[in-house]
């Protein structure tokens, strides 16, 4: 089911909010182009202001023009069937901020809902014939959905009164099933969405009713081809805008128009989510992500691409009454491309030439496949899965017992023991403990004062996850590292001036090289990258200037200019171009010039020289 893309048009199924693009977010990395992230959208319904309803309610002189029929009462759904959150909700649902990306369970649920939606759509297509009303199609579809334990997603969505959308002839989308019978020569799009086990499956197709003219057949055929071609280019990392370009390019060849105001969308646990998928050429940012699900649902017309909305606030028809066709699939982005979740399995007859070409394609792909690499990756995945199964958290009481025993062991060694002696003693304790556990297990003894389950968990921790356990209980002992400093520079050689990338820093920044100041974070550093130290300092000055009464005001800026990242006495990994904004009444240095020997002993990979650059703002 489509949503609306235009900031000046109806926002299909998404309530009374305006569709407007927020600024695109960019992440800048040194030496690389901007990485674009999907811009978030919100949607709005402005029908009364933006559409001439007088025009829409007067179909004109064409006797074939679509007219509203009578609506039957809303159908009921058994109480035991799970309902989407928006059903009977007071607040209208909006576009969910963020794409629908699934784990293994979510993918299986999406496959199940997609399969059911495809089966329902195929069944609905068999009902299309002259004389049947769209209301009868709705009732049959509704019954099939609830018989399979699912909920018809459109029913009750923002007040939509039916379980399926039926869009006949010039209706672009969101047609409400009513008493109008289909006529010979009609085309009808049936849009089915089911909500099964907490996940939506969304699909639609345009069917021919009786003897349809060649132009209508061509429109339906090309629309289907546009969808197929768009799906074929989908894969992880592909820019979403290529979908629109692919559809527009193919439609242009046959001089068909592409409707712009209704779009594809993310779908999954929510009905409409990011991304917004435009079906025409565009320059929107955003890339496809592995395990992401969304719909592609191009709508093509013979004439005008401008929609007019009926007074029911749903039915969208072409402005000039020209025919419109639509096809839709829900797809899953996989490692190999895209999986169509709403594909209905059909028996297809291929010619000998098609079979030969398919076999040749398979042969070429197999010859190019890196078989050894694929096998190695499979084996690694098996190993990782086994390791994950082996890992089980030690109970707190058992963890404390291990910690006390190791602490006592280290105390017995004395304060003058070396790292090597500590390592040797702890390793000997580990091996002895493993030997005791194995011996107790063989003799079915309880001398360890552990239950069988605790002994099994401890054995695995000592055998496979020893380093993780040591870090977890805070007893990690670093290898003894010898830090040797040297200076190969000739005598009397003048010191080289250190060059920091970026514009010069203002004097009030009071920049110091190789320092890290203490203080409370004013703005979370891990999400605050800056291209230069000057930009970081300016961010501090701006924050202090604009801070509201009672808020912390930045007076310390700390910047990481090192391409290898920076170290500090906490658990976070600080990356290149990371900027911290801090505040302290009495700023003091964490580090200056060099890390202490004790810090480098506990962080063997830390450099000798502190890579930070910082300063205390002058007021």
């Amino acid at each position: 089911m489509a949503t609306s893309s235009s900031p000046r048009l109806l926002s299909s199924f998404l309530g009374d909010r305006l569709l407007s693009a927020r600024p695109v977010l960019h992440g800048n990395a040194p030496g690389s182009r901007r990485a674009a992230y999907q811009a978030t959208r919100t949607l709005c319904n402005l029908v009364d202001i933006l559409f001439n309803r007088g025009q829409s309610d007067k179909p004109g002189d064409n006797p074939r023009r679509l007219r509203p029929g009578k609506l039957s009462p809303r159908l009921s759904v058994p109480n035991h069937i799970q309902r989407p959150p928006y059903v009977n909700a007071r607040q209208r649902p909006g576009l969910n901020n963020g794409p629908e990306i699934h784990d293994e369970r979510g993918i299986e649920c999406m496959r199940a809902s997609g399969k059911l939606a495809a089966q329902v759509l195929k069944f609905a297509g068999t009902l299309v014939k002259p004389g049947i009303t769209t209301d009868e199609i709705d009732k049959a579809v509704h019954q099939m959905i609830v018989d399979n334990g699912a909920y018809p997603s459109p029913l009750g969505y923002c007040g939509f009164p039916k379980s399926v959308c039926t869009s006949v002839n010039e209706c672009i989308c969101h047609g409400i099933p009513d008493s109008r019978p289909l006529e010979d020569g009609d085309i009808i799009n049936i849009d089915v969405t089911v909500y099964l086990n907490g996940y939506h499956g969304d699909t639609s197709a345009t069917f021919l009713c009786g003897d349809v003219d060649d132009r209508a057949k061509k429109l339906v055929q090309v629309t289907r081809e546009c969808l197929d071609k768009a799906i074929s280019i989908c894969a992880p990392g592909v820019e979403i805008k290529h979908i629109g370009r692919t559809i527009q390019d193919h439609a242009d060849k046959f001089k068909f128009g592409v409707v712009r105001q209704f779009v594809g969308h993310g779908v999954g646990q929510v009905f409409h989510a990011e991304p917004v998928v435009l079906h025409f050429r565009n320059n929107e940012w955003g890339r496809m992500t592995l395990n992401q699900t969304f719909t592609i649902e191009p709508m093509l017309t013979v004439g005008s691409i401008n929609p007019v909305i009926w007074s029911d606030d749903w039915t969208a028809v072409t402005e000039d009454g020209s025919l419109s066709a639509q096809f839709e699939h829900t797809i899953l982005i996989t490692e190999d491309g895209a999986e169509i979740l709403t594909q209905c399995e059909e028996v297809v007859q291929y010619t000998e030439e098609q079979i030969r070409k398919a076999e040749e394609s398979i042969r070429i792909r197999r010859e190019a496949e890196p078989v050894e690499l694929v096998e190695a990756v499979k084996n690694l995945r098996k190993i990782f899965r086994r390791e994950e199964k082996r890992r089980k958290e030690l109970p707190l009481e058992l963890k404390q017992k291990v910690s006390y025993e190791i602490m006592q062991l280290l105390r017995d060694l004395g304060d003058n023991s070396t790292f090597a002696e500590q390592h040797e003693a702890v390793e000997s304790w580990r091996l002895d403990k493993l030997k005791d556990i194995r011996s107790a297990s063989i003799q079915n003894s309880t001398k360890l004062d552990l239950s069988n389950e605790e002994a099994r968990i401890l054995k695995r921790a000592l055998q496979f996850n020893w380093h993780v356990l040591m870090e977890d209980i805070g007893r990690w002992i670093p290898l003894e590292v010898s830090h040797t400093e040297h200076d190969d520079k000739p005598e009397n050689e003048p010191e080289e001036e250190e060059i920091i990338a970026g514009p010069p820093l203002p004097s009030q920044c009071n920049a110091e090289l190789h320092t890290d100041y203490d203080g409370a974070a004013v703005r979370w550093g891990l999400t605050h990258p800056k291209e230069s130290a000057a930009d970081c300092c300016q961010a501090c000055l701006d924050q202090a200037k604009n801070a509201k009464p009672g808020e912390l005001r930045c007076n310390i800026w700390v910047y990481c200019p090192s391409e290898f990242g920076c170290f500090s006495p906490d658990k976070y990994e600080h990356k290149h171009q990371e900027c911290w904004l801090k505040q302290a009444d009495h700023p003091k240095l964490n580090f200056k010039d060099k890390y202490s020997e004790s810090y480098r002993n506990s962080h063997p990979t830390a450099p000798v020289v502190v890579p930070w650059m910082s300063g205390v703002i002058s007021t």
Side-chain angles (χ1 to χ4, degrees):
M1 183 174 292
T3 65
S4 167
S5 74
S6 171
R8 311 305 289 169
L9 290 179
L10 172 66
S11 83
S12 165
F13 282 74
L14 288 175
D16 297 317
R17 293 189 298 159
L18 182 67
L19 171 68
S20 59
R22 290 201 323 226
V24 177
L25 306 177
H26 301 287
N28 294 326
S32 66
R33 294 183 179 183
R34 295 183 299 178
Y37 300 90
Q38 292 174 341
T40 303
R41 286 180 167 81
T42 57
L43 302 178
C44 149
N45 179 355
L46 295 178
V47 179
D48 291 329
I49 300 174
L50 303 170
F51 293 100
N52 182 347
R53 281 191 171 149
Q55 177 187 18
S56 65
D57 287 337
K58 296 179 181 178
D61 297 328
N62 183 359
R64 295 273 300 186
R65 285 289 288 266
L66 199 62
R67 288 175 169 82
K70 294 181 180 179
L71 295 186
S72 62
R74 174 172 169 168
L75 299 174
S76 62
V77 177
N79 292 331
H80 71 274
I81 290 178
Q82 181 182 359
R83 286 156 168 74
Y86 54 75
V87 175
N88 299 324
R90 293 182 179 179
Q91 186 175 3
R92 290 190 173 190
L95 184 69
N96 193 52
N97 291 343
E100 284 284 318
I101 299 175
H102 307 279
D103 57 17
E104 289 184 5
R105 179 188 175 278
I107 290 172
E108 289 306 311
C109 289
M110 285 298 298
R111 286 182 176 135
S113 62
K115 182 179 180 180
L116 176 58
Q119 291 171 340
V120 172
L121 180 62
K122 183 179 180 182
F123 166 71
T126 66
L127 303 176
V128 175
K129 59 184 178 182
I132 190 171
T133 67
T134 52
D135 188 60
E136 289 172 320
I137 294 175
D138 177 74
K139 288 177 180 177
V141 165
H142 176 93
Q143 194 60 48
M144 183 175 179
I145 292 173
V146 297
D147 284 348
N148 283 273
Y151 186 92
S153 301
L155 186 61
Y157 189 92
C158 294
F160 192 80
K162 294 295 180 178
S163 299
V164 69
C165 296
T166 52
S167 304
V168 180
N169 294 340
E170 70 263 34
C171 185
I172 299 170
C173 60
H174 305 158
I176 300 175
D178 59 22
S179 61
R180 179 192 183 277
L182 294 181
E183 299 178 16
D184 187 65
D186 283 347
I187 62 174
I188 176 174
N189 174 269
I190 302 176
D191 192 337
V192 173
T193 311
V194 303
Y195 185 72
L196 180 65
N197 297 325
Y199 290 78
H200 297 272
D202 194 357
T203 185
S204 83
T206 300
F207 300 92
L208 309 180
C209 181
D211 186 18
V212 178
D213 65 45
D214 291 340
R215 186 60 171 161
K217 288 181 180 177
K218 194 64 177 178
L219 172 68
V220 172
Q221 175 191 334
V222 172
T223 307
R224 177 61 182 267
E225 290 170 355
C226 284
L227 174 61
D228 293 341
K229 288 179 179 294
I231 293 173
S232 70
I233 60 103
C234 292
V238 174
E239 290 183 290
I240 294 173
K241 68 180 181 182
H242 291 329
I243 292 174
R245 185 181 66 185
T246 301
I247 291 170
Q248 185 87 64
D249 287 349
H250 191 61
D252 286 351
K253 294 177 184 178
F254 301 91
K255 295 182 169 44
F256 290 133
V258 180
V259 176
R260 292 170 170 250
Q261 282 77 9
F262 298 100
V263 299
H265 53 88
V267 65
Q269 290 181 287
V270 294
F271 200 170
H272 296 102
E274 289 186 345
V276 169
V277 181
L278 304 180
H279 301 122
F280 54 92
R281 295 187 193 95
N282 65 88
N283 291 314
E284 291 292 317
W285 291 89
R287 295 181 183 272
M288 302 173 200
T289 305
L290 184 66
N291 296 337
Q292 179 183 20
T293 52
F294 56 85
T295 69
I296 303 175
E297 40 191 304
M299 285 148 272
L300 271 59
T301 67
V302 172
S304 172
I305 63 172
N306 297 322
V308 173
I309 310 301
W310 281 3
S311 57
D312 59 19
D313 283 359
W314 291 110
T315 308
V317 298
T318 56
E319 188 178 49
D320 58 359
S322 60
L323 292 180
S324 177
Q326 178 192 12
F327 283 85
E328 174 186 11
H329 273 310
T330 297
I331 67 170
L332 165 71
I333 300 302
T334 67
E335 292 180 350
D336 300 322
E339 176 183 343
I340 302 175
L341 300 179
T342 48
Q343 181 76 59
C344 195
E345 298 179 2
E346 297 178 352
V347 178
V348 181
Q349 296 295 329
Y350 295 100
T351 65
E352 291 185 1
E353 179 64 14
Q354 288 174 323
I355 294 173
R356 186 192 66 77
K357 288 182 177 179
E359 290 176 343
E360 178 68 8
S361 176
I362 292 171
R363 183 188 64 78
I364 293 172
R365 290 183 63 182
R366 283 178 177 171
E367 288 180 356
E369 184 180 9
V371 178
E372 293 182 0
L373 178 59
V374 171
E375 192 62 31
V377 171
K378 287 181 179 178
N379 291 334
L380 281 173
R381 285 176 176 169
K382 290 179 182 178
I383 293 172
F384 293 152
R385 281 195 293 268
R386 285 200 299 268
E387 289 296 324
E388 286 298 323
K389 289 180 180 178
R390 285 171 176 165
R391 292 182 182 179
K392 192 167 184 180
E393 185 76 12
L394 281 180
L396 179 60
E397 188 176 333
L398 185 55
K399 196 180 293 185
Q400 290 175 337
K401 184 175 181 181
V402 170
S403 179
Y404 294 154
E405 289 189 23
I406 294 176
M407 279 297 298
Q408 186 58 49
L409 177 67
L410 296 177
R411 288 193 193 98
D412 293 343
L413 288 176
D415 295 337
N416 296 325
S417 60
T418 64
F419 287 144
E421 289 172 339
Q422 293 175 9
H423 267 293
E424 184 178 352
V426 173
E427 179 65 13
S428 177
W429 175 90
R430 183 181 75 89
L431 296 175
D432 289 343
K433 185 65 69 176
L434 274 172
K435 184 178 179 181
D436 291 343
I437 293 173
R438 292 192 185 103
S439 177
S441 176
I442 293 172
Q443 300 174 11
N444 198 22
S445 169
T446 59
K447 66 178 183 179
L448 290 175
D449 195 25
L450 298 174
S451 68
N452 290 338
E453 177 66 12
E454 288 176 332
R456 184 176 62 82
I457 296 174
L458 180 57
K459 178 183 175 183
R460 286 184 177 179
L462 296 176
Q463 191 168 0
F464 299 108
N465 304 315
W466 175 237
H467 296 292
V468 175
L469 174 61
M470 289 292 281
E471 289 187 10
D472 197 24
I473 64 177
R475 298 292 176 260
W476 178 65
I477 304 172
L479 295 172
E480 191 164 15
V481 179
S482 175
H483 298 285
T484 304
E485 300 178 28
H486 61 88
D487 187 356
D488 297 330
K489 209 183 304 180
E491 293 184 8
N492 302 322
E493 184 78 10
E495 289 288 333
E496 295 180 2
E497 182 180 356
E498 185 152 5
I499 299 174
I500 300 296
L505 284 87
S507 58
Q508 62 264 45
C509 293
N510 298 314
E512 291 190 69
L513 293 176
H514 308 308
T515 58
D516 179 12
Y517 275 93
D518 193 14
V522 171
R523 192 179 301 173
W524 188 238
L526 297 179
T527 58
H528 192 58
K530 289 295 179 183
E531 291 186 354
S532 69
D535 291 335
C536 181
C537 174
Q538 188 61 50
C540 183
L541 292 169
D542 293 342
Q543 192 280 333
K545 179 180 178 181
N546 299 320
K548 297 178 181 178
E551 287 184 347
L552 291 177
R553 294 177 181 270
C554 180
N555 67 337
I556 300 170
W557 61 274
V558 181
Y559 184 71
C560 178
S562 171
E563 292 186 4
F564 304 101
C566 299
F567 289 78
S568 64
D570 53 38
K571 64 182 180 181
Y572 299 109
E573 176 188 354
H574 301 288
K575 297 180 180 179
H576 180 216
Q577 296 188 331
E578 190 171 305
C579 172
W580 281 86
L581 306 184
K582 299 181 179 181
Q583 190 276 336
D585 293 334
H586 304 287
K588 64 179 181 179
L589 287 173
N590 281 332
F591 299 117
K592 185 175 178 65
D593 296 337
K594 300 176 184 177
Y595 290 115
S596 66
E597 184 175 355
S598 61
Y599 181 80
R600 286 189 287 124
N601 284 337
S602 61
H603 297 77
T605 58
V608 173
V609 177
V610 176
W612 291 102
M613 185 176 184
S614 63
V616 178
I617 297 297
S618 299
T619 55

